[in-house]
Amino acid sequence: MENAKKFGMVIDLDKCTGCGACMVACMAENNIPFRADNTDKMLSISWMHVYKLNNRKLFPDYEECYLPRPCQHCEGHGGHSPCVSVCPATATDYDMDTGIVSQIYPRCFGCRYCMAACPYHVRQFNWWDPLWPDGMEKMLNPSVSVRMRGVVEKCSFCIQRYQQAKDRAYMEGRREIAEDEYQTACTQACPAGAIVFGDLNNPEHAVHQLAQPDPARHGHSKNPRAFRLLERLGTNTKIYYLSSREWVRKAGDNYLEGEFKSKAHS
Amino acid sequence: MKVDRRSFLSFILGGAAGTALSPLPWKLTDDFSIWSQNWPWTPVPQKGEISYVNSACTLCPGGCGISVKKVDERVIKIEGLKGHPVNDGGLCILGLAGAQLLYGATRIQTPIKKVNGRWQKLSWKEAITELAARLKELRAKGSAHTVACVAGSDRGTVPELFSRFLAVYGSPNFFRTPSIWDSYELALYLTQGTRSMAGFDIENADFILSFGSGLIEGWGSPGYMFRAKGLLRKNGGRMDQIESRLSKTAAKSDHWIAINPGTEGALALGLAYVIIKEGLYNQNFIDQYTTGFSDRKKRVIDGFPPEIVSKMTGISTGTIVALAKDFARARKPLAICGQGQGHLPGNLQEFLAVHTLNALVGNINQPGGVWAVPEPDYIDWPELEMDGVASEGLQQTRIDGAGSYRYPNARYLLHRLPQVVNASDESPVQVLFVVDANPVYSLQDTASVKKAFEKIPFVVSFSSYMNETTALADLVLPNHVFLERYEDVPVAYGFPKPIIGLARPAIEPLYNTRYVGDVVIQLAKELGHAIGAAFPWADYATCLEETLSDNWDTLVEEGYVVDAEFNGTDLADAFETDSAKFEFNNNEIRTLAGYNPVKAEGDEASYPLLLVPYDTMRLASGYVGSPPFLVKALEDTILTGSQVLVEVNPATAKQLGLSEGKTANLTTPKGAARVKVHLSNGIMPGVVAIPRGLGHTAYDKFLAGKGVNYNQLSSPVEDPASGHDAAWGIRAKLSRA
Amino acid sequence: MDSALIPKGVKRCPAWQFIMWIGANGAVLTWGVFALLLVYFKGLNQTNMNNAYGFALWIWADLAVIALGGGAFFTGFLRYIVGKDELKNIINYAVLIGFICYSSALMILGFDIGQPLRGWFIFWHANVHSMLTEVAFCLTAYFGVLAIEYAPLVFENRMIKKVPFFHNLSHNMHEIMAVFAATGAFLSFFHQGSLGGVPGVLFGRPFGFREGVLVWPWTFFLFTWSAAAAGPCFTILITKITEAVTRKKLVKDNVIDLLAKISGWMLFFYIIAKIGDTLYWANVTAPSKGSTFMDFYTSSSGSAYGLWILFAEIGVCGVLPALILIIPKLRKTQATLWLAVILAVIGLCLNRWVMVLQVLAIPVLTFESWFTYFPSWQEIATTILPVAYGVIMISTSYRYLPIFPQERELNPIDEPAAPPEVAESEPEPTDAGPEPELSPAES
Ligand SMILES: Nc1nc2c(c(=O)[nH]1)N[C@H]1C(S)=C(S)[C@@H](COP(=O)(O)OP(=O)(O)OC[C@H]3O[C@@H](n4cnc5c(=O)[nH]c(N)nc54)[C@H](O)[C@@H]3O)O[C@H]1N2
Ligand SMILES: Nc1nc2c(c(=O)[nH]1)N[C@H]1C(S)=C(S)[C@@H](COP(=O)(O)OP(=O)(O)OC[C@H]3O[C@@H](n4cnc5c(=O)[nH]c(N)nc54)[C@H](O)[C@@H]3O)O[C@H]1N2
Ligand code: SF4
Ligand code: SF4
Ligand code: SF4
Ligand code: SF4
Ligand code: SF4
Ligand SMILES: [Mo]
């Protein structure tokens, strides 16, 4: 598996405007259903969720930051992602060749153990039948299957785009796809250019250069602006966040008093 | 055969074993599994040929390029057009959800008219004949000027067809919906003498000083502003936001400076004071290209020392002085204004004060500065031949008084229309066309707008959707939606270069809808004579192609034409004022050069708080209603269930005995609403903020009945300087429910 | 009218009273079934679960009911493997309670999934690394064992016994019952443990996560241990309740006392282990994930999880009942015995609640807050359903099957000449031990 890819993202929180375009791009790409009332976010499905963080200070020292959260495609140690290992029906999988945590909807029987396992609230359950208002089912993307009530779903890194890119390359007699041939819908849509996607294992790719993963430390970033969510739990995620604000970087993980050391020199 | 217990048991056991070994259970199991995965009500999208159509988005005046993804004859997704000068592949949340508007449930599928309060279908021919008859009758009565049109824009072939129709028919009453661009246009006209659009070279600036503009919340061309803000950042530029609430723009700025709402102009003048006092202005620019500086200087120095400005704005003198110095010392400082997404024109004095800041630092028609972008000039139709009725009708003063003695500088004052209609015994508007606008939702003081619309005898809506205005119309002539039609997109608000886009049909019209352009042309032909003659084209497509003649091929191929080389006019020729210079002062400005804050309506004793609206990208608040994906993506700190949350500072809430999530009554002089309270340290004490774009009464279950429409609670306040609606908020009271 | 079915030598309430009793419980059962059907046909949106609370009341009920049913395997273990012979007088009832608990658990598991029609995927596409897979396999297998242990008891019914086939089957089953009991104990050890493993392996959830040995986190062992310790308390409690309701003494004190004593010592050592586990977790595990102990016990808004819950579980419902049960005088006093078994049962349920629901309530991301949940009526009804089912099962079994071997001895029927059609009329020697056919679970 020397040629194994490890797809991942770098999301620059200094650039992210919290506009939500990534959420909707994902909904449109991945046939995510909607309901009359989607305000209870714990009952609603959105593979990408934009969190609003704040520095917990009072007016006027108060600051906010937006944090888009797709699936973190946790590698754990050796592909032991929190959610994959617990699924009793092997309905979700860690692909050693791409680093993508996939979800096989027709196999999932809805026990929700994986939801309990994921500390990021990435995994979401189809509490209702996905129904589209008359006529609106016309905009469904045939490259992504529609999920049924009672199964769990989550961000797939738009795996269908990878398959399509691979198909195209194969037809053209190429073995490898270029960086820009496989880009996720949210990356492509982000009007602020906050999301960068690519192969973390490939030094040519922008994600690698920004994330600077340290293989000796389970991918911990050497970039002082970078952090990963809940890195201390050993989830070994593939989404790296950048921020020049210390409180934001600190909000990415839990720290005991005095434990957090700022890496940035700024 | 005798069946004893033993053989019976063997039979049962053997049978069971045999069945288990046969393919039957496995087959049944498999079928069962497949059945459980194929519920008939779960849709299965059909596969097909994938194709892309490059087009332009017309959902806002942003002018983004889009690439419409299709599978056979279905539009499945809208993506940003890579390489487009405005948005370069990125797309806003609304544009991304555009396909939901195409397939939306509230589309009007055929012409309809209201008979005894109920909708009735009719054919296009009947509809146009009926409308023409009514117009003929009015014209014969000498009431041609009582026909009016409200349009979302006055640029591009569709609005121009309407205003041309009105002119040759005999009415001066064409209206454009209000926005900050009314004030920007005027500020540029007064100081620079040009009828042009303000463009902002954000990406090449190095210090953006925004007086409440929602740079990343839909101000100007959202597609461009998002991208440009990113580039500004990349180049190490700074951005400061002056606003009473920590908007997303404020949150993404280097400094958020909270200001008493409605006093932004004072701050601009206070900064000018420091810049002038400290001699930090651009001497070269002032000397060579401006007049009236000394007069301006005197007014500023006399009226706006930091101490006074500090009192008005609530910002410390130290901050004012430091900000002024930083601004003036930046390489490419750029000041911008216009609240939020820019729905309300605002205080002209404020725009002049802010525009003047750019002049002080000489950042006009410069890279990284504010540009006067010429209005598109491709619409060059034959001169109109007016008949007597037309000439007579055009002599009448406009219903809103724009251009009259009282409002010499204003071009459109739509907010006055309801007031005038409601104040008259008989409606001065007998027939009203509404195109690409939803005034019953988007004008302030909804109740009075509604009353006026009910009073107007005949309202014709060209909307594709059953929105609030259309619900009050008498005749609906539905347009194709943007994915089904050709249309020129003549402008990207705030974009620093002249650009024309072309929307192209990605799909055959789904319903019995029709280009509004065609309807105007057919209506004119039906009326005949001079009116018919003014529209020599067979149909709208011909009109559009002829109009865009030089650019047509490029537009069809690329989707846009941009004057990439545009770098303004040589400063020596840039100003079309009498002095041919940038005028800090002239006869018109003389009366405007001071600063009088526009007060929020309501008395302080009964309404101790200030209610201000805010904009979010996750809601469409213009004439397009938010499609379901937007409402879905809305934060639960804005909407829970069908209740809107208003932002209140915890200190204010404590005084009012309110806590997070509590239901409260929000009352203003104009109305009352039930809201929920969201505590936020990102808002000034004493201010309550409410999102715009909710509280629709029309549309479907995904939007209707959710939250409160701010316009229902507010009312216009006339800017004495321009006549425009300068309201920025309204006084309010919040109490426990 | 049903007297032909009632075991000889015991007295039962009149049929009308029995029917009323069953009817009342049947009504509750019907309510539960109605909720269950709603859930089946409309889906899990009938619950108040959400994406944060993917596991909620039902999974707790599941864990709790299995733990409480642990009395069956542990009593079986003591009876057959350790050889505590006196326990033969309570083993039938332990088995019955276990059977009810496990069938309830399976039923709950059956509707607590989004796609009930695919429930069998857990076997078909089994992922051997998943604790839930282990639970499913062992649980199902052990339920089979319990069914086999319970079946002979059913065959002992006076009417059924008349069929020679069942009579023989029952007899043959007795002979191999020890094998099943041993298998059952082994299976139980694993699935009780796997249930502990369910939260224990969640390394993304610091409150649930535990280190351990090999693939098993400490919770694996703690769950087995606690089920073995408090499960018998539940058996005792139900026995005591049955005695109270029937107003009869059904099991001799020495039997109860023995079980209570063993239970007490188990609980005592369990609670020491639990305290050790808590201390290790609080001082080593949690801080290594950046959290302080108190981060998990805030009583801030939205959280019902204060320190009280820990004191309740370990102190009031752990140490206290353990002490009562190991001190002979207190154990032999009815009031304190009652108190101890009730507390132990509550403690066990509390533990399962905390290990499932508190794990999910706690925000792990620093920018989230505590998640709240309150079950819907459908969840409550379907959770009460097994209780009604259990009452009906016990009542029916008690009425028609020879559950309590010591009943006749303890409750001699002094009116020998009853009407001939009444079965109990045959006098029984009051001093004789139970006849073999009255203790079918034994060989
Ligand atoms: N979101 C989402 N998830 C999905 C799906 C989906 O459509 N969407 N689809 C689901 C379905 S149907 C499936 S089958 C799975 C597929 O899931 P995977 O089986 O993970 O699919 P592939 O990505 O094709 O990975 C197969 C790997 O095998 C490697 N390989 C190829 N040939 C050989 C060989 O000869 N020997 C060895 N050892 N390796 C080889 C390839 O390099 C490739 O990395 O994904 C499932 N997951
Ligand atoms: N390049 C490349 N090609 C591959 C693969 C790869 O890894 N790389 N993987 C291969 C593998 S393993 C597989 S399984 C295939 C998968 O290939 P497909 O089977 O073509 O792909 P799916 O995306 O799984 O979707 C199947 C279709 O079924 C629809 N569908 C969803 N639910 C239902 C339903 O209830 N009823 C019906 N009738 N239709 C439904 C979906 O909307 C979708 O249109 O692709 C194969 N092709
Ligand atoms: S689209 Fe980009 S800027 Fe907008 S919320 Fe998503 S990541 Fe942030
Ligand atoms: S983020 Fe959650 S769902 Fe995604 S891989 Fe990690 S644990 Fe699994
Ligand atoms: S809900 Fe589905 S994917 Fe998740 S653990 Fe259960 S079966 Fe696996
Ligand atoms: S990577 Fe694809 S699936 Fe994941 S959030 Fe982005 S658009 Fe959605
Ligand atoms: S910014 Fe305006 S033009 Fe651009 S995609 Fe959004 S709605 Fe369309
Ligand atoms: Mo597959």
Side-chain angles (χ1 to χ4, degrees), chain A residues 13 16-19 21 24 29 33-34 36 39 41 45 59 66 106 129 138-140 142 161 188-189, chain B residues 37 41 46-47 74 76-77 79 89 91 93 96 100 226 248 251-252 618 629 632 634 639 641 681 706:
Chain A
L13 303 184
C16 172
T17 63
C19 71
V24 167
E29 172 78 21
F34 45 91
T39 55
K41 301 303 173 193
I45 295 175
F59 173 90
Y66 311 97
D129 272 309
K138 290 212 184 73
M139 60 178 284
L140 291 174
R161 289 180 170 224
Q188 200 183 46
Chain B
Q37 291 161 20
W41 53 86
Q46 296 301 307
K47 296 229 184 248
R74 299 191 289 122
I76 65 158
K77 197 173 170 225
E79 295 176 352
L91 210 57
I93 188 168
L96 282 159
Q100 291 193 316
F226 275 101
K248 286 199 166 75
K252 299 311 292 185
R618 300 194 200 176
F629 276 159
K632 173 160 181 152
L634 204 56
L639 187 72
N681 275 294
K706 291 178 192 276

Side-chain angles (χ1 to χ4, degrees), chain A residues 41-45 51-53 56 67 69 76 80-82 84-90 105-113 115-121 123-125 127-128 148-151 229-230 232-235 250-256 259, chain C residues 39-45 47 49-56 58 112-116 118-119 121-122 125-133 197-199 201-206 286-292 295 359-360 363-368 371:
Chain A
K41 301 303 173 193
M42 282 299 144
L43 290 175
S44 152
I45 295 175
Y51 281 95
K52 185 155 84 175
L53 280 57
R56 300 178 187 198
L67 184 140
R69 186 240 53 207
H80 182 69
S81 359
V84 169
S85 49
V86 301
C87 173
T90 334
Y105 316 117
R107 185 180 289 178
C108 168
F109 67 98
C111 70
R112 308 179 305 287
Y113 191 12
M115 285 167 59
C118 171
Y120 305 101
H121 292 122
R123 291 183 163 266
Q124 296 164 343
F125 187 74
W127 299 101
W128 287 272
M148 55 295 286
R149 183 230 278 169
V151 305
L229 291 179
L230 305 176
R232 305 182 67 173
L233 296 183
T235 46
K250 191 175 169 191
D253 215 329
N254 293 290
Y255 295 96
L256 299 178
E259 225 178 18
Chain C
V39 170
Y40 256 115
F41 287 101
K42 295 194 167 184
L44 296 183
N45 54 57
T47 72
M49 285 190 275
N50 58 37
N51 294 333
Y53 274 100
F55 285 170
W58 288 339
D112 193 7
I113 53 182
Q115 285 276 345
R118 295 181 197 166
F121 282 17
I122 201 169
H125 300 293
N127 167 17
V128 294
H129 303 294
S130 172
M131 284 292 164
L132 225 46
T133 306
V198 167
V201 297
L202 301 180
F203 65 94
R205 299 283 189 172
S288 76
K289 314 283 179 201
S291 301
T292 66
D295 288 344
V359 169
L360 301 181
V364 186
L365 287 169
T366 63
F367 39 85
E368 284 190 328
F371 294 92

